[in-house]
């Protein structure tokens, strides 16, 4: 037999691919290859034998191709030829022939599926039934294939060709039927009911299964004797019997559910949950039937075994989650009636006081919330009648679905939460979440876009206000701001702490007064005070209100916000030291005071044991005279403040009269003392720090909103204030705010350029220059540099440079930094930012910077900075520029660099000692500048730059520059000294 081509043989490997798409492509190519006809026998043998392989996707690919080949070439492939190959290549008499049995079954499936060998169906059925006898593990698969086959046959073919082989298996009493035989009769009865009714009393002429009372126990036995692989088909078939006889619920409860929950506890948990999951997921089960399966018994079962710590039941939680996941899939992927969803939801809420999600559910995916989200308006109204319970867990589940609800339902939820008789933190938080979801605050890449409130949501809030009798008036232009006092009054109504309720009312009244006679300073203070509260709703309504008034705000109003941001943690939290306290009143307790107190306690105590303990304490104090007892004055102050009148002044040794206090006063005193000590714990300090961080971030969002919307001209006066704040934040080790300020300036740079008066730019530059003298951290100076670079950007006129006055300002700044020696060391980072940003517009500074870099009268740190500024100009486009002015500047710079560098290198061996680190650092920077200058430079520049080196030989350079080795390696981490020198030489001479 001639061997097929390599192309055809390679396709067999592709047929075994796990990837479905690759397999199908291989099948397509195989069918298009006409070489198959020539090598028909080889291909058939290879495909049939390959079905016995469990490798990757071989059975899937081979069976698919075999089916299609038989369908297309059935006239050239006889059934006898197929059977011959099967019997030879898949010999079932060999030991461990299970894989061969599977392969034979797949071959017969391919023959049946091809629909090309109808006359041979009896032989195929006979062979399949024989496989069941020898290899029982295939019985359910073969049975299903026979059911599928029957569904394609007409009654005559089934009656004459197939039924004779099946009659013995189907025409028995129910108790005598094997599980697979029951499945077979259930699969055939619908099409051939009249034929089967003549031979079996189980089926009527119409194809209906005749259900009797005695069948219930028999069905349970059938399920018990069904292997796990056939458990689901068997359960579905039994439930089909119940469905046909209008007894689905009874059959499920008395057969399927009863079978699942009886027996060993561990096995029962696995069986019941697995079967429930599979039945719910099955498309054969209708929504009404899912309600039956999702029974009270199942809910109790899931609650009982959820999150069990017993190792025996650790498998239960994943199974419970899979049950819920199956139910979710069915509910979301089909037209599941809302009435059915409501029934399941009510069942979950009634069992064991509800709160199913907390007890059972998956934290990231709460099942009852998903159900609520699928309710229609009618079902939602029914649900809400029972949802307002003393505990807020039930109504809390509506939060995620709230944005999609109808206005009427939203109104009912808000009113119900606000009016609920028993005030609680839970209901207050729910109301906050409802309202917060109505506001869509949009930030994009740290830039504010807008705050959106849907028109229908605005109407809902106003209608709620009308129903509650809130009368809020405002000037026409502030009409939309009336939502602020409305929401504050709603929160007051739901507040669970009396003081909070009073404060919300005060805030609402203040907001209403502002809306009548607007005072923006007072209004900003109000918004800031609202932001101190934790719930997100406060942030949403403040952002909304601020967004509406931002266009009317002045610089002073933004400074109010920035001043609060700059306060210390204690100042923000209200724990700052009170200045009006008398120093002696809160003097620290001394060691002598403590000993005196212990002596008095010892004298007053009659108990011998306590007396002995007191004496031991005094002795312990005496023994530790050398140790200094340190008590924080702040703690003493807080304790005395908590004690109030009960506090003993430190200058009083004895009190004659006892202080009379009732039980209520003593309880309050306990709470006050606990709070005083709590304020000084590490946990409290950590929480305080976190709270103030969040508060500052919210306040800074207001600044971001303003910077995103206001004109540049209105923003410039705020730059110095922001710079001061950045400096303060970096000093206080809160760099995240400084980073936010830097991001603000970056966002401004990305905006479309706006026209700003030059006077405003210069005024801002001068203020930044003055502030820069006192900037203490590098990070703040970088912020200042960004600000200056942005201001220079604003000053660019029609020429490719800056305005005359701005260039004059930059000249003064550069001269002040390089020449003057007092107060101006902080200018360096600002200059670096400017030269990095605009080298193309500041080329005229290039020769001057080179001169500064080698000026004998300037210190090495500044000379190194000058060389760093010069490096900013070493761009390829500038060095290759054909502009005569630019070429002249670069040539002058090259001459200065070469002359000064050559002078320094000539004296290198004699001048530098080991300790001259600054000198060596400077020279290393100069050599790096020379290398960068030469890179991509024109020959004109290179000829001049070469004069900077005393020698043109790389070996001599390595020796000459050896004293700079450590400086080079420290300056350029990861770059070896030898490579540095060779690269320098290469750029100059190659």
């Amino acid at each position: 037999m001639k061997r097929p081509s390599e192309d055809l043989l390679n396709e067999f490997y592709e047929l075994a691919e796990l990837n479905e798409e690759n397999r199908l492509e291989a099948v397509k190519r195989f069918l298009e290859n006409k070489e198959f006809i020539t090598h028909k026998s080889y291909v058939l043998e290879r495909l049939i034998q390959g079905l016995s392989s469990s490798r990757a996707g071989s059975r899937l690919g081979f069976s698919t191709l075999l089916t299609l080949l038989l369908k297309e070439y059935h006239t050239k492939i006889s059934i006898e030829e197929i059977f011959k190959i099967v019997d030879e290549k898949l010999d079932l008499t060999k030991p461990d022939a299970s894989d061969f049995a599977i392969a034979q079954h797949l071959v017969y499936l391919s023959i049946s599926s091809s629909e090309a060998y109808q006359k041979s169906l009896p032989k195929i059925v006979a062979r399949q039934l024989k496989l069941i006898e020898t290899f029982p593990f295939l019985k359910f698969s073969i049975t299903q294939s026979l059911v599928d086959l029957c569904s394609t046959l007409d009654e005559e073919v089934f009656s004459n060709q197939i039924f004779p082989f099946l009659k013995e298996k189907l025409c028995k009493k129910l108790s005598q039927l094997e599980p697979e035989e029951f499945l077979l009769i259930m699969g055939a009865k619908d099409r051939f009911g009249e034929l089967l009714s003549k031979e079996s009393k189980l089926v009527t002429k119409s194809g209906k299964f005749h259900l009797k009372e005695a069948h219930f126990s028999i069905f349970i036995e059938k399920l018990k004797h069904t292997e796990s692989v056939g458990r689901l088909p068997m359960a579905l078939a039994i439930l089909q019997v119940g469905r046909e006889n209008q007894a689905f619920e009874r059959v499920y409860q008395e057969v399927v559910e009863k079978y699942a929950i009886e027996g060993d506890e561990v096995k029962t948990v696995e069986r019941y949950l697995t079967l429930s999951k599979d039945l719910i997921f099955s498309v054969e089960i209708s929504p009404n039937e899912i309600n039956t399966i999702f029974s009270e018994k199942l809910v109790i079962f899931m609650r009982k075994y959820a999150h069990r710590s017993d190792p025996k039941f650790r498998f239960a939680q994943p199974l419970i989650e899979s049950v819920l996941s199956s139910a979710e899939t069915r509910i979301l992927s089909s037209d599941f009636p809302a009435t059915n969803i409501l029934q399941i939801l009510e069942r979950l809420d009634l069992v064991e006081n509800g709160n199913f999600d907390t007890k059972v559910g998956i934290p990231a995916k709460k099942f009852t919330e998903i159900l609520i989200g699928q309710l229609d308006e009618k079902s939602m109204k029914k649900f809400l009648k029972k949802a307002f319970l003393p505990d807020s867990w039930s109504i809390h589940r509506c939060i995620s679905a709230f944005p999609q609800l109808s206005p009427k339902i939203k109104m009912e939820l808000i009113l119900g939460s606000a009016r609920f008789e028993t005030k609680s933190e839970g209901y207050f938080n729910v109301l906050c979440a409802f309202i917060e979801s109505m506001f869509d605050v949009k930030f994009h890449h740290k830039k504010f876009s807008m705050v959106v409130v849907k028109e229908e949501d605005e109407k809902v809030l106003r209608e709620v206000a009308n129903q509650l009798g809130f009368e809020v008036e405002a000037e026409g232009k502030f009409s939309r701001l009336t939502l602020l006092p409305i929401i504050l009054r709603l929160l007051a109504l739901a507040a669970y702490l009396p003081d909070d309720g009073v404060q919300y009312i005060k805030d609402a009244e203040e907001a209403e007064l502002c809306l009548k006679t607007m005072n923006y300073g007072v209004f900003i203070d109000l918004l800031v005070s609202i932001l101190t509260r934790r719930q997100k709703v406060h942030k949403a309504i403040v952002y909304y209100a601020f967004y509406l008034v931002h266009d009317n705000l002045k610089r002073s109003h933004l400074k109010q916000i920035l001043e609060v941001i700059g306060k210390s943690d204690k100042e923000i939290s209200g724990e700052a030291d009170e200045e009006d306290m008398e120093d002696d009143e809160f003097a620290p307790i001394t060691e002598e005071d403590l000993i005196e107190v212990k002596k008095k306690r010892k004298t007053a105590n009659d108990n011998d044991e306590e007396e002995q303990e007191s004496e031991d304490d005094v002795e312990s104090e005496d023994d530790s005279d050398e140790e200094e007892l340190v008590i924080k004055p702040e703690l003493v102050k807080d304790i005395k403040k908590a004690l109030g009148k009960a506090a003993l002044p430190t200058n009083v040794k004895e009190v004659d009269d006892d202080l009379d206090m009732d039980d209520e006063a003593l309880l309050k005193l306990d709470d006050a003392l606990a709070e005083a000590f709590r304020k000084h714990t590490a946990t409290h300090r950590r929480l305080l720090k976190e709270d103030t961080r969040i508060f500052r971030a919210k306040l800074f969002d207001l600044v971001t909103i303003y910077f995103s919307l206001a004109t540049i001209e209105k923003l410039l006066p705020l730059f110095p204030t922001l710079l001061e704040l950045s400096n303060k934040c970096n000093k206080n080790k809160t760099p995240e705010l400084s980073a936010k300020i830097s991001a603000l300036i970056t966002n401004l740079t990305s905006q479309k350029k706006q026209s700003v008066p030059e006077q405003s730019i210069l005024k801002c530059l001068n203020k930044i220059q003055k502030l820069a003298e006192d900037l203490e951290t590098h990070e703040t100076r970088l912020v200042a540099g960004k600000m200056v670079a942005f201001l220079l950007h604003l000053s660019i006129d029609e020429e490719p440079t800056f305005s005359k006055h701005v260039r004059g300002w930059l000249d003064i700044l550069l001269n002040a930094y390089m020449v003057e020696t007092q107060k101006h060391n902080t200018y360096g980072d600002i200059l670096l930012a400017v030269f990095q940003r605009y080298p193309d517009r500041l080329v005229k500074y290039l020769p001057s910077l080179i001169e500064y870099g080698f000026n004998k009268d300037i210190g090495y740190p500044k000379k190194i900075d000058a060389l760093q500024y010069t490096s900013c100009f070493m761009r390829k486009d500038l060095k290759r520029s054909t502009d005569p002015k630019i070429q002249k500047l670069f040539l002058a710079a090259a001459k200065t660099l070469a002359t000064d560098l050559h002078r320094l290198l000539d004296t290198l061996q004699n001048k530098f000692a080991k300790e001259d680190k600054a000198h060596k650092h400077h020279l290393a920077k100069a050599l790096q500048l020379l290398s960068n200058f030469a890179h991509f430079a024109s020959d004109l520049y290179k000829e001049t730059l070469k004069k900077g080196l005393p020698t043109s030989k790389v070996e001599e350079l390595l020796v000459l520059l050896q004293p700079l080795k450590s400086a080079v390696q420290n300056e350029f981490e990861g770059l070896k000294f030898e490579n540095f020198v060779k690269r320098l030489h290469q750029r100059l001479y190659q």
Side-chain angles (χ1 to χ4, degrees), residues 646-821:
L648 180 66
T650 54
N651 56 353
V652 177
K653 298 294 183 181
E654 197 173 329
V655 178
D656 296 332
D657 299 327
D658 291 335
L659 185 65
D660 188 19
M661 300 181 73
D662 56 23
D663 290 343
E664 184 178 357
L666 286 172
L667 287 173
K668 288 182 179 179
L669 190 62
D670 286 344
D671 292 339
L673 283 170
E675 177 65 17
F677 280 102
R678 184 187 64 80
K679 285 169 61 176
H680 293 273
T681 62
T683 302
H684 173 73
R685 289 193 297 273
R686 178 175 53 79
L687 293 175
L688 173 65
K689 191 175 185 66
E690 179 62 15
D691 287 344
T692 52
R693 184 193 66 78
I694 294 171
F695 176 60
R696 287 194 186 96
K698 290 188 287 188
L699 287 176
F700 203 86
D701 281 346
L702 298 183
V703 179
T704 303
I705 292 172
Y706 189 78
F707 267 69
S708 301
L709 302 171
T711 63
I712 300 296
E713 189 172 356
K714 291 180 71 173
L715 297 178
L716 292 189
L718 293 172
F719 276 30
T721 309
L722 283 172
L723 191 56
E724 289 179 311
L725 177 61
S726 177
N727 192 42
K728 187 173 184 179
C729 292
N730 283 315
K731 283 170 61 178
N732 295 337
K733 298 183 179 179
T734 52
E736 62 275 2
L737 275 175
S738 185
K740 287 177 180 286
I741 294 170
S742 181
L744 272 187
I745 309 303
T746 302
N747 287 334
L748 289 179
T749 307
S750 63
Q751 293 181 18
K752 185 178 179 181
K753 184 183 173 184
Q754 299 178 20
S755 178
V756 180
E758 187 179 55
Q759 187 178 358
S760 300
I761 296 172
L762 288 169
K763 186 177 180 180
C764 190
L765 284 171
N766 289 328
K767 287 186 177 180
I768 291 174
Q769 180 182 355
K770 187 174 181 180
L771 288 172
E773 297 177 6
D774 300 316
L775 300 181
E776 299 181 18
T777 65
H778 173 68
E779 291 77 10
T780 311
R781 294 196 289 273
L782 290 179
V783 173
K786 274 193 175 183
M787 289 181 174
V788 171
F790 173 70
L791 290 168
L792 264 62
H793 167 71
L794 295 178
S795 75
I796 297 174
D797 52 24
E798 295 180 0
E799 297 295 325
T801 183
F802 305 108
S803 67
K804 178 181 177 181
H805 294 98
V806 170
R807 290 201 308 271
W809 179 87
L810 186 58
D811 290 339
I812 294 171
L813 186 73
L814 180 60
N815 185 68
Y817 179 59
M818 288 296 172
V819 179
E820 299 178 19
T821 57

Side-chain angles (χ1 to χ4, degrees), residues 4 34 153 184 248 252 392 406 416 443 483 496 574 629 970:
K34 299 305 179 183
L153 303 177
L184 188 55
F248 182 92
Y252 175 75
S392 63
S406 68
F443 281 87
L483 288 184
Y496 60 99
L629 184 62
N970 289 336

Side-chain angles (χ1 to χ4, degrees), residues 266-435:
V266 175
K267 292 181 180 179
T268 295
V269 174
E270 186 274 334
R271 186 166 59 235
Y272 188 27
L273 292 175
T274 302
L275 194 55
S276 298
K277 173 202 66 171
D278 293 339
L279 288 173
I280 291 171
F281 194 73
S282 173
V283 293
E284 297 179 33
I285 304 296
S286 69
N288 284 332
E289 292 165 352
I290 287 178
N291 278 24
T292 299
I293 296 169
F294 218 104
S295 62
E296 182 178 333
K297 193 170 290 184
L298 178 61
V299 176
I300 294 172
F301 200 86
M302 287 191 289
R303 294 179 71 99
K304 179 179 179 181
Y305 292 101
H307 306 293
R308 287 281 290 267
S309 57
D310 190 334
K312 290 189 300 183
F313 298 105
R314 284 179 182 168
F315 67 90
Q317 185 62 29
L319 280 178
I320 292 169
E321 293 176 5
S322 67
V323 171
L324 300 179
S325 182
S326 295
E328 178 191 351
T329 302
R330 288 298 309 276
I331 290 168
L332 296 180
S333 63
S334 62
D335 297 329
F336 211 93
T339 51
N340 293 86
I341 297 173
L342 183 60
Q343 289 173 15
I344 295 175
L345 186 60
E346 289 176 341
R347 187 172 298 130
L348 291 168
D349 288 353
L350 287 173
V351 172
E352 298 178 1
N353 298 319
N355 205 357
F356 180 83
D357 289 330
T358 303
K359 176 66 179 175
V360 175
I362 312 165
K365 189 189 295 183
K366 299 189 175 180
F367 183 63
T368 60
E369 290 185 13
I370 294 168
L371 297 182
I372 292 170
Q374 299 304 307
L375 295 177
D376 58 19
E377 187 168 343
K378 184 178 179 181
S379 299
M380 193 70 185
K381 285 183 177 179
K382 290 181 180 179
F383 167 72
L384 291 182
K385 289 179 180 178
K386 302 176 182 179
F388 288 97
L389 305 174
D391 197 343
S392 63
W393 64 264
S394 181
I395 207 67
H396 187 277
R397 300 173 298 175
C398 298
I399 293 173
S400 59
F402 187 85
Q404 288 77 44
L405 298 176
S406 68
K408 289 183 180 179
I409 299 299
K410 287 181 178 180
M411 195 180 308
E412 190 172 341
L413 281 167
I414 291 174
L415 284 170
S417 302
R419 286 172 165 170
F420 195 71
E421 186 176 355
T422 306
K423 305 301 178 186
S424 69
E425 183 178 5
Y427 268 100
F428 178 76
N429 289 334
V430 166
L431 177 63
C432 288
F434 287 157
I435 298 172

Side-chain angles (χ1 to χ4, degrees), residues 844-901:
K844 73 160 198 152
Y845 288 93
L846 180 57
S848 302
L849 291 173
I850 290 282
E851 290 175 5
Y852 285 136
F854 293 96
N855 192 316
K856 296 178 181 179
D857 298 326
I858 297 176
Y860 280 103
K862 289 187 179 182
K863 286 199 287 190
I864 291 170
D865 283 348
L867 294 179
Q868 189 173 0
Y869 303 156
T870 307
S871 297
C872 299
F873 297 90
M874 297 300 118
R875 287 186 355 193
K876 183 178 177 180
D877 61 319
L878 294 177
K879 288 184 285 186
R880 292 292 184 90
S881 174
T882 57
D883 186 333
K885 293 182 180 178
I886 295 178
Q887 288 180 340
K888 184 178 180 181
L889 291 168
F890 268 87
L891 188 57
K895 289 178 180 178
T896 304
L897 175 60
T899 302
D900 289 330
L901 187 57

Side-chain angles (χ1 to χ4, degrees), residues 4 7 55 216 222 224 392 575 595 826 839 852 857 945 980:
D7 289 342
R55 173 180 172 269
F216 285 75
K222 296 295 176 203
K224 287 181 179 178
S392 63
E575 294 185 7
I595 296 173
T826 57
Y852 285 136
D857 298 326
L945 293 172
F980 172 81

